[in-house]
Amino acid sequence: MARRSILSVAAAAVMALCLLRTSLAPSFAGSAGLQPAVRGSHVALAAEKRFEVFVTNPSVGARTRMMISPSMTCAEIVERGRKELGFDQPWIKNEDF
């Protein structure tokens, strides 16, 4: 009988130790000490200059990836996408896209 109670106390102690260890360990996504604080500002500055977009024509499955600036209009993006996908024939109207 004493053997069973010692085993349960030992198991409870091991479980408590494991829980304590995992709660005090740094988390995978939130470890602030691993990355310098300056990195975030460089990423934000780079993100303001260019964006990556995918232009897809679902009827034929054609797809292209482009880097665009914030000043580009939707019409310019469509025109450039048509050119990269090979749909820039003169008999196809811009309104069809």
Side-chain angles (χ1 to χ4, degrees), residues 10-25:
V14 168
M15 192 72 134
L17 183 63
C18 287
L19 287 174
L20 180 66
R21 184 175 177 207
T22 57
S23 67
L24 295 178

Side-chain angles (χ1 to χ4, degrees), residues 1-2 6-7 10-11 16-17 20-21 24-26 30 43 46 54 57-58 68 72 80 82 84 87 93-94:
M1 191 73 155
I6 290 174
L7 186 60
L17 183 63
L20 180 66
R21 184 175 177 207
L24 295 178
V43 172
F54 281 94
N57 186 337
I68 63 168
M72 288 183 77
R80 187 171 153 205
R82 283 182 58 198
E84 289 187 17
F87 297 119
K93 298 177 189 174
N94 286 336

Side-chain angles (χ1 to χ4, degrees), residues 15-64:
M15 192 72 134
L17 183 63
C18 287
L19 287 174
L20 180 66
R21 184 175 177 207
T22 57
S23 67
L24 295 178
S27 63
F28 177 74
S31 54
L34 297 177
Q35 295 180 352
V38 180
R39 181 176 182 254
S41 61
H42 290 294
V43 172
L45 287 175
E48 291 178 5
K49 297 176 185 174
R50 310 279 294 171
F51 297 100
E52 180 182 31
V53 295
F54 281 94
V55 177
T56 305
N57 186 337
S59 63
V60 294
R63 177 183 289 179
T64 185

Side-chain angles (χ1 to χ4, degrees), residues 74-85:
C74 289
E76 293 171 339
I77 295 169
V78 169
E79 181 181 344
R80 187 171 153 205
R82 283 182 58 198
K83 201 173 288 184
E84 289 187 17
L85 293 173

